[in-house]
Amino acid sequence: MSKIAIIIGSTRPGRNGEAVARWVHENASQRSDVEYELVDLKDWDLPHLDEALPAAAGQYAGEHTKAWAAKIAEFDGFIFVTPEYNHGTSGALKNAIDYVGAEWYNKAAGFVSYGVFGGARAVEHLRLVLSQLQVATVSAHVGLSLAHDFENWQLKPTEQQTAALTPLFDQVESWSAALKTVREAAAEEDEDEAA
Ligand SMILES: Cc1cc2nc3c(=O)[nH]c(=O)nc-3n(C[C@H](O)[C@H](O)[C@H](O)COP(=O)(O)O)c2cc1C
C-alpha cells in the first residue's frame, strides 16, 4: 500500500496552512488502499540547514537530519500544502526540502496552495526545486483563494475546490505507485555497485 505525506509548509503562529492541510487530510482519508499522513514542519523544528555536506552526498551528520531523512524515506509520494510568500514557497519548506536528497528521489508530488491569487507562483517555484530532486510533480493542483475560499480568515473551501482534490489524489497516487518500479531498480543498481 502506498504511503503519502501531506506536508504542512508553514510554521508561523496563526498560520492558515494547518486548516488547509487538515481539510486535505480529511478528504484524503476517505480514499481506500492508500495511507495518508500529516507531517507538520512545526513539529520537526529543523534549524536553518546546518549540514556541512550537501544532501546529495547522503552523509547526514545531525540527529535531526537523520530523523527527518527517515521520516521522508517512509513515503512514496507527497502533497505539499504551501503558502505563497513573496511569490515563492515558505523558507521553512524550502529548508526542509534542502535537508535531504535520496529520500525524495523518484517519488511523486502534488500541491495544494493558497494565497491572494491561489498561491500558483509558490507551486511553480516548488516544481523547479523538486525537479532537481527527481520528484515527479503532477499537473493537477488545488489553489485556494484567500478571497473566495476563506471567510473572516477561516477556511471555507467552495464545493468546486473540494471536488478538485479528487484528480490531485488520483494523479499523486498513480504516479507514487508507478515510481516504485524506478526506486526498486535504482536500489538494485546501488546494491550491485556496492558488491
Ligand atoms: C511573508 C509573507 C509574504 C506574503 N507574500 C504573498 C505573496 O507574494 N502572494 C500572495 O498571494 N500572498 C502573500 N502573502 C499572504 C499569504 O499567502 C497568506 O498570509 C497566507 O495565509 C500565508 O500562509 P500561512 O497563513 O500558512 O502562513 C504573504 C504573507 C506573508 C506572511
Side-chain angles (χ1 to χ4, degrees), residues 162-179:
T162 303
L165 287 171
T166 300
L168 175 69
F169 295 147
D170 287 345
Q171 290 183 11
V172 174
E173 288 174 17
S174 94
W175 282 19
S176 294
L179 284 165

mmCIF file of all heavy atoms in Angstrom, residues 162-179:
data_model
loop_
_atom_site.group_PDB
_atom_site.id
_atom_site.type_symbol
_atom_site.label_atom_id
_atom_site.label_comp_id
_atom_site.label_asym_id
_atom_site.label_seq_id
_atom_site.Cartn_x
_atom_site.Cartn_y
_atom_site.Cartn_z
ATOM 1 N N THR A 162 -13.223 21.359 -3.229
ATOM 2 C CA THR A 162 -13.211 20.015 -2.636
ATOM 3 C C THR A 162 -13.222 18.965 -3.750
ATOM 4 O O THR A 162 -12.484 17.978 -3.695
ATOM 5 C CB THR A 162 -14.413 19.834 -1.672
ATOM 6 O OG1 THR A 162 -14.344 20.863 -0.685
ATOM 7 C CG2 THR A 162 -14.376 18.484 -0.985
ATOM 8 N N ALA A 163 -14.021 19.222 -4.793
ATOM 9 C CA ALA A 163 -14.071 18.279 -5.921
ATOM 10 C C ALA A 163 -12.718 18.220 -6.631
ATOM 11 O O ALA A 163 -12.318 17.167 -7.134
ATOM 12 C CB ALA A 163 -15.170 18.697 -6.898
ATOM 13 N N ALA A 164 -12.016 19.337 -6.651
ATOM 14 C CA ALA A 164 -10.727 19.384 -7.362
ATOM 15 C C ALA A 164 -9.643 18.569 -6.652
ATOM 16 O O ALA A 164 -8.585 18.287 -7.232
ATOM 17 C CB ALA A 164 -10.267 20.837 -7.523
ATOM 18 N N LEU A 165 -9.912 18.184 -5.398
ATOM 19 C CA LEU A 165 -8.923 17.331 -4.707
ATOM 20 C C LEU A 165 -8.865 15.935 -5.339
ATOM 21 O O LEU A 165 -7.818 15.281 -5.296
ATOM 22 C CB LEU A 165 -9.283 17.196 -3.219
ATOM 23 C CG LEU A 165 -9.049 18.429 -2.342
ATOM 24 C CD1 LEU A 165 -9.664 18.206 -0.952
ATOM 25 C CD2 LEU A 165 -7.556 18.722 -2.196
ATOM 26 N N THR A 166 -9.985 15.485 -5.913
ATOM 27 C CA THR A 166 -10.024 14.105 -6.430
ATOM 28 C C THR A 166 -8.986 13.854 -7.526
ATOM 29 O O THR A 166 -8.201 12.902 -7.405
ATOM 30 C CB THR A 166 -11.458 13.751 -6.890
ATOM 31 O OG1 THR A 166 -12.298 13.871 -5.752
ATOM 32 C CG2 THR A 166 -11.552 12.340 -7.433
ATOM 33 N N PRO A 167 -8.938 14.674 -8.605
ATOM 34 C CA PRO A 167 -7.887 14.409 -9.597
ATOM 35 C C PRO A 167 -6.472 14.558 -9.038
ATOM 36 O O PRO A 167 -5.547 13.872 -9.476
ATOM 37 C CB PRO A 167 -8.156 15.440 -10.707
ATOM 38 C CG PRO A 167 -9.170 16.391 -10.172
ATOM 39 C CD PRO A 167 -9.865 15.725 -9.029
ATOM 40 N N LEU A 168 -6.320 15.434 -8.049
ATOM 41 C CA LEU A 168 -4.998 15.573 -7.416
ATOM 42 C C LEU A 168 -4.613 14.264 -6.715
ATOM 43 O O LEU A 168 -3.517 13.726 -6.929
ATOM 44 C CB LEU A 168 -5.027 16.736 -6.412
ATOM 45 C CG LEU A 168 -3.747 16.913 -5.589
ATOM 46 C CD1 LEU A 168 -2.597 17.402 -6.457
ATOM 47 C CD2 LEU A 168 -3.970 17.905 -4.447
ATOM 48 N N PHE A 169 -5.520 13.727 -5.907
ATOM 49 C CA PHE A 169 -5.232 12.457 -5.226
ATOM 50 C C PHE A 169 -5.005 11.349 -6.263
ATOM 51 O O PHE A 169 -4.085 10.541 -6.132
ATOM 52 C CB PHE A 169 -6.394 12.048 -4.309
ATOM 53 C CG PHE A 169 -6.648 12.976 -3.145
ATOM 54 C CD1 PHE A 169 -7.941 13.176 -2.673
ATOM 55 C CD2 PHE A 169 -5.606 13.631 -2.508
ATOM 56 C CE1 PHE A 169 -8.191 14.013 -1.588
ATOM 57 C CE2 PHE A 169 -5.839 14.479 -1.419
ATOM 58 C CZ PHE A 169 -7.139 14.660 -0.973
ATOM 59 N N ASP A 170 -5.853 11.309 -7.299
ATOM 60 C CA ASP A 170 -5.729 10.256 -8.326
ATOM 61 C C ASP A 170 -4.334 10.276 -8.937
ATOM 62 O O ASP A 170 -3.681 9.239 -9.076
ATOM 63 C CB ASP A 170 -6.747 10.472 -9.462
ATOM 64 C CG ASP A 170 -8.172 10.141 -9.057
ATOM 65 O OD1 ASP A 170 -8.354 9.487 -8.012
ATOM 66 O OD2 ASP A 170 -9.098 10.544 -9.787
ATOM 67 N N GLN A 171 -3.884 11.476 -9.316
ATOM 68 C CA GLN A 171 -2.589 11.571 -10.024
ATOM 69 C C GLN A 171 -1.418 11.254 -9.089
ATOM 70 O O GLN A 171 -0.492 10.540 -9.464
ATOM 71 C CB GLN A 171 -2.423 12.965 -10.636
ATOM 72 C CG GLN A 171 -3.374 13.196 -11.803
ATOM 73 C CD GLN A 171 -3.170 14.550 -12.482
ATOM 74 O OE1 GLN A 171 -2.210 15.269 -12.251
ATOM 75 N NE2 GLN A 171 -4.104 14.908 -13.349
ATOM 76 N N VAL A 172 -1.466 11.788 -7.884
ATOM 77 C CA VAL A 172 -0.341 11.528 -6.953
ATOM 78 C C VAL A 172 -0.294 10.031 -6.609
ATOM 79 O O VAL A 172 0.777 9.422 -6.582
ATOM 80 C CB VAL A 172 -0.451 12.400 -5.674
ATOM 81 C CG1 VAL A 172 0.629 12.011 -4.670
ATOM 82 C CG2 VAL A 172 -0.319 13.875 -6.022
ATOM 83 N N GLU A 173 -1.461 9.436 -6.394
ATOM 84 C CA GLU A 173 -1.487 8.006 -6.052
ATOM 85 C C GLU A 173 -0.948 7.162 -7.209
ATOM 86 O O GLU A 173 -0.153 6.242 -7.000
ATOM 87 C CB GLU A 173 -2.914 7.568 -5.705
ATOM 88 C CG GLU A 173 -3.370 8.119 -4.365
ATOM 89 C CD GLU A 173 -4.836 7.822 -4.067
ATOM 90 O OE1 GLU A 173 -5.426 6.935 -4.724
ATOM 91 O OE2 GLU A 173 -5.403 8.490 -3.172
ATOM 92 N N SER A 174 -1.361 7.485 -8.436
ATOM 93 C CA SER A 174 -0.944 6.614 -9.541
ATOM 94 C C SER A 174 0.543 6.781 -9.838
ATOM 95 O O SER A 174 1.259 5.802 -10.033
ATOM 96 C CB SER A 174 -1.837 6.797 -10.767
ATOM 97 O OG SER A 174 -1.300 7.716 -11.656
ATOM 98 N N TRP A 175 1.061 8.000 -9.790
ATOM 99 C CA TRP A 175 2.499 8.175 -10.039
ATOM 100 C C TRP A 175 3.339 7.647 -8.872
ATOM 101 O O TRP A 175 4.445 7.144 -9.075
ATOM 102 C CB TRP A 175 2.826 9.649 -10.319
ATOM 103 C CG TRP A 175 2.466 10.071 -11.715
ATOM 104 C CD1 TRP A 175 1.607 9.440 -12.571
ATOM 105 C CD2 TRP A 175 2.960 11.214 -12.428
ATOM 106 N NE1 TRP A 175 1.538 10.129 -13.753
ATOM 107 C CE2 TRP A 175 2.354 11.219 -13.698
ATOM 108 C CE3 TRP A 175 3.836 12.237 -12.103
ATOM 109 C CZ2 TRP A 175 2.619 12.201 -14.652
ATOM 110 C CZ3 TRP A 175 4.105 13.227 -13.046
ATOM 111 C CH2 TRP A 175 3.503 13.205 -14.314
ATOM 112 N N SER A 176 2.823 7.766 -7.653
ATOM 113 C CA SER A 176 3.572 7.237 -6.496
ATOM 114 C C SER A 176 3.743 5.728 -6.645
ATOM 115 O O SER A 176 4.824 5.184 -6.390
ATOM 116 C CB SER A 176 2.825 7.524 -5.186
ATOM 117 O OG SER A 176 2.783 8.897 -4.943
ATOM 118 N N ALA A 177 2.679 5.069 -7.065
ATOM 119 C CA ALA A 177 2.751 3.608 -7.233
ATOM 120 C C ALA A 177 3.657 3.253 -8.414
ATOM 121 O O ALA A 177 4.492 2.348 -8.327
ATOM 122 C CB ALA A 177 1.347 3.050 -7.445
ATOM 123 N N ALA A 178 3.515 3.989 -9.518
ATOM 124 C CA ALA A 178 4.295 3.661 -10.723
ATOM 125 C C ALA A 178 5.798 3.831 -10.472
ATOM 126 O O ALA A 178 6.616 3.037 -10.963
ATOM 127 C CB ALA A 178 3.856 4.557 -11.873
ATOM 128 N N LEU A 179 6.160 4.823 -9.711
ATOM 129 C CA LEU A 179 7.588 5.106 -9.499
ATOM 130 C C LEU A 179 8.267 4.112 -8.553
ATOM 131 O O LEU A 179 9.498 4.119 -8.438
ATOM 132 C CB LEU A 179 7.777 6.549 -9.014
ATOM 133 C CG LEU A 179 7.633 7.580 -10.141
ATOM 134 C CD1 LEU A 179 7.457 8.990 -9.586
ATOM 135 C CD2 LEU A 179 8.843 7.544 -11.071
#
